[in-house]
Amino acid sequence: MMTEVNQLLDQAKRLTSLADQLDDHERLEAIHNMNELEIEACVLKEKRAYNENMLARQHTEFEKVKEEAAAMIRRAEEEMKEISRCLAVQKKRLAELEG
């Protein structure tokens, strides 16, 4: 009977030791996973900062191009007015010459 009790005690010690090792393994795996998540979060933060900077730069460039386009339209409108004025003067002269 004593032998069986000792065997059961030894088996209980082995099982406790295995359980401790399993807990350690799970803990190490959880720490490893947390480290990977921290690295991924850091990479994502860097990407977000890069994308925010790119968006700000593109917005600035867009505003600049938009202003340039508006200036081109104003110049084209002024040229059209000048051409219309010149055309009206030439029509008046032609009418005077014909007439």
Side-chain angles (χ1 to χ4, degrees):
M1 183 88 158
M2 195 60 152
T3 305
E4 289 179 18
V5 170
N6 285 335
Q7 287 176 346
L8 289 174
L9 286 174
D10 287 342
Q11 186 176 6
K13 286 179 186 177
R14 281 195 307 272
L15 291 174
T16 301
S17 175
L18 286 173
D20 289 344
Q21 288 175 5
L22 182 60
D23 286 345
D24 286 344
H25 175 72
E26 288 175 357
R27 223 172 305 139
L28 289 174
E29 188 175 335
I31 290 170
H32 175 72
N33 289 339
M34 285 175 34
N35 288 338
E36 285 185 359
L37 289 173
E38 287 175 353
I39 291 169
E40 185 177 349
C42 184
V43 168
L44 289 174
K45 285 178 186 178
E46 289 174 1
K47 284 183 181 180
R48 184 190 72 203
Y50 173 79
N51 288 336
E52 286 173 349
N53 288 336
M54 287 297 294
L55 180 62
R57 193 174 97 212
Q58 287 176 347
H59 180 71
T60 301
E61 289 176 9
F62 170 75
E63 290 299 322
K64 182 180 176 183
V65 169
K66 191 166 82 170
E67 289 174 13
E68 290 173 357
M72 289 173 67
I73 291 169
R74 283 191 301 273
R75 284 193 300 273
E77 288 173 341
E78 290 171 6
E79 286 179 26
M80 287 176 51
K81 287 178 186 176
E82 182 61 24
I83 291 170
S84 293
R85 189 189 64 72
C86 288
L87 184 58
V89 168
Q90 289 174 355
K91 283 183 182 180
K92 184 179 176 184
R93 284 186 185 164
L94 183 59
E96 289 173 358
L97 289 173
E98 288 178 340

